[in-house]
Amino acid sequence: MTRLVLTRHGQSIWNLENRFTGWVDVDLTDKGEAQARRGGALLREAGFAPELAFTSVLKRAVRTLWLTLEELDRVWIPDQKSWRLNERHYGALTGRNKQEMIDEHGAEQVKVWRRSYDTPPPPMPLDDERHPRFDPRYADLGASELPSTESLALTLERVEPYFRSTIAPELEQGRDLIISAHGNSLRALVKMLFKVGDEEIVHVEMPTGNPLMIELDGLRPVEAAYLDEDRAQDLPPCP
């Protein structure tokens, strides 16, 4: 069996401050660093030895990967970074405190923006200095590829082709992989792999810094479990 590990970055500064983060490049907290190291230790205890790693271009995911690989003594393996594994773009909500948004717009509206499958938040203005078109890491991307806001459905639209073209072939060759990314880009992967419906995926949570180990037969999950059982979330059944 091939093993694929999905790990959401450890707690970030804006996680701690209860703010919508999206594509803003915030760092890990001390707790987030500890979660990443703990995840690596659990993977080591499970005998996991990845041959290749994938991550986003955002430092909270990149540093989580580094800390995890340090614990595994596997910092030497190749890693690939892609913007397609970034967190979903939260549009005009970016940087705003979640409770303040509830107070301003109401709990139901914020719930739709946060948890619905295909309703994105209001877009970020194109002249906002935080818009990805001003970020040098996206300089080679066309305007149509740079989001001003995203739903989970739109996030899936950019994650899936990258998975199919770049990650899936490695898994099909039997290589054990680790992906360090974000709550919504990982939910997109879970939706694909476990064939989760549009309504059901909104209830799937990805805890920070807790590796999800998936045993695969080809690309079909046959077993899956979070390694830190004390912080585990419910998983969809294997298809």
Side-chain angles (χ1 to χ4, degrees), residues 2 30 53 73 87 134 177 191 204 231 233:
T2 305
D30 290 345
D73 195 23
E87 177 59 290
F134 297 114
L177 309 179
K191 188 179 193 306
V204 173
R231 298 196 305 113
Q233 295 285 339

Side-chain angles (χ1 to χ4, degrees), residues 29-100:
T29 62
D30 290 345
K31 180 178 179 179
E33 293 180 359
Q35 288 176 339
R37 292 192 182 280
R38 167 69 171 158
L42 290 169
L43 288 168
R44 185 179 66 247
E45 292 170 9
F48 183 62
E51 301 173 63
L52 185 61
F54 296 88
T55 188
S56 74
V57 296
L58 300 172
K59 72 177 69 172
R60 58 193 186 274
V62 175
R63 294 196 62 232
T64 294
L65 177 62
W66 289 349
L67 293 168
T68 300
L69 293 179
E70 281 184 9
E71 291 296 319
L72 288 170
D73 195 23
R74 304 283 289 186
V75 296
W76 50 270
I77 67 171
D79 66 83
Q80 297 186 28
K81 301 178 182 70
S82 175
W83 67 275
R84 291 183 178 274
L85 293 175
N86 279 10
E87 177 59 290
R88 67 178 280 205
H89 196 294
Y90 277 104
L93 301 184
T94 300
R96 302 295 301 273
N97 179 275
K98 294 174 184 177
Q99 184 57 52
E100 290 177 357

Side-chain angles (χ1 to χ4, degrees), residues 66-223:
W66 289 349
L67 293 168
T68 300
L69 293 179
E70 281 184 9
E71 291 296 319
L72 288 170
D73 195 23
R74 304 283 289 186
V75 296
W76 50 270
I77 67 171
D79 66 83
Q80 297 186 28
K81 301 178 182 70
S82 175
W83 67 275
R84 291 183 178 274
L85 293 175
N86 279 10
E87 177 59 290
R88 67 178 280 205
H89 196 294
Y90 277 104
L93 301 184
T94 300
R96 302 295 301 273
N97 179 275
K98 294 174 184 177
Q99 184 57 52
E100 290 177 357
M101 289 293 92
I102 290 173
D103 295 342
E104 184 175 333
H105 297 283
E108 286 304 312
Q109 179 61 73
V110 173
K111 182 179 179 181
V112 169
W113 287 333
R114 289 188 66 188
R115 305 304 299 175
S116 69
Y117 176 63
D118 55 8
T119 303
M124 175 180 285
L126 289 175
D127 60 355
D128 191 308
E129 63 181 8
R130 299 168 303 173
H131 196 282
R133 71 195 190 97
F134 297 114
D135 193 318
R137 79 194 77 191
Y138 310 116
D140 293 335
L141 300 181
S144 64
E145 295 178 290
L146 294 176
S148 296
T149 185
E150 288 179 307
S151 61
L152 178 56
L154 290 171
T155 305
L156 177 63
E157 285 184 11
R158 61 169 159 87
V159 170
E160 183 167 13
Y162 181 70
F163 176 82
R164 300 294 182 196
S165 67
T166 306
I167 300 175
E170 302 292 346
L171 293 170
E172 290 173 328
Q173 291 181 32
R175 304 182 75 182
D176 289 347
L177 309 179
I178 182 170
I179 301 175
S180 174
H182 307 265
N184 283 288
S185 53
L186 293 177
R187 286 169 67 220
L189 290 171
V190 167
K191 188 179 193 306
M192 292 165 43
L193 290 168
F194 290 83
K195 303 187 186 307
V196 183
D198 296 354
E199 297 300 321
E200 290 74 27
I201 192 60
V202 301
H203 303 295
V204 173
E205 297 284 351
M206 306 294 295
T208 55
N210 189 352
L212 171 60
M213 183 175 287
I214 306 170
E215 301 274 352
L216 294 170
D217 179 6
L219 296 178
R220 182 177 65 86
V222 295
E223 188 174 349

